[in-house]
Amino acid sequence: MVGKTRRPEMRAILEDYAKRIGRSCLIEITEVRNGDAALKKLDADRAATIVLLDAPGKSLDSKALAKWLGELRDRGTRELVFLCGDADGFPDPLRQRAHQRLSLSLMTFSHELARVMLAEQLYRAFAILSGSPYPK
């Protein structure tokens, strides 16, 4: 995640979903100072599949996101990195490094809220894949 999650209530929600996701897979939330720092971190791990959260990206509903994650898992994808930017967006080198671009919504949200929304949708996707009653 580019930039910090400064609001304590947003950080608490993000951490709660991360804990829930952790029951299904390993999860690490990393905050970096800027796009250059994110690119440097990604360059250290070339094997990861990079997903950029971007307004003009592909829109998926929750079931389609779960299906896509399940397909990646079944094809042997070992590491998936979701990049959530800050208010300045992403520099071009970071955009070029992405394998996929996803949009959370046609609406614009603060980067802190977008992070929480991503975490909830990832938790929901894992719940769908496991047959949990959560995604009703």
Side-chain angles (χ1 to χ4, degrees), residues 9-50:
E9 62 274 17
M10 291 291 190
R11 181 169 293 286
I13 297 168
L14 183 61
E15 289 171 358
D16 178 59
Y17 279 115
K19 183 178 175 182
R20 294 179 192 200
I21 292 166
R23 295 181 202 132
S24 299
C25 69
L26 293 175
I27 180 171
E28 177 184 333
I29 297 176
T30 304
E31 294 179 333
V32 294
R33 186 173 13 112
N34 56 33
D36 292 336
L39 192 58
K40 185 176 180 179
K41 184 135 180 80
L42 291 176
D43 284 343
D45 187 8
R46 290 256 178 216
T49 299
I50 311 302

Side-chain angles (χ1 to χ4, degrees), residues 18-106:
K19 183 178 175 182
R20 294 179 192 200
I21 292 166
R23 295 181 202 132
S24 299
C25 69
L26 293 175
I27 180 171
E28 177 184 333
I29 297 176
T30 304
E31 294 179 333
V32 294
R33 186 173 13 112
N34 56 33
D36 292 336
L39 192 58
K40 185 176 180 179
K41 184 135 180 80
L42 291 176
D43 284 343
D45 187 8
R46 290 256 178 216
T49 299
I50 311 302
V51 180
L52 197 74
L53 295 182
D54 200 15
K58 185 176 183 178
S59 293
L60 299 174
D61 64 19
S62 298
K63 287 182 181 178
L65 177 64
K67 181 179 177 195
W68 179 70
L69 287 174
E71 289 169 354
L72 288 174
R73 177 199 59 205
D74 295 346
R75 287 195 307 244
T77 299
R78 299 191 45 79
E79 187 172 2
L80 189 57
V81 175
F82 288 90
L83 285 175
C84 193
D86 61 7
D88 297 326
F90 298 103
D92 283 337
L94 202 50
R95 287 180 177 282
Q96 293 169 5
R97 180 77 166 79
H99 297 98
Q100 179 79 27
R101 292 189 180 131
L102 290 180
S103 173
L104 291 176
S105 173
L106 294 175

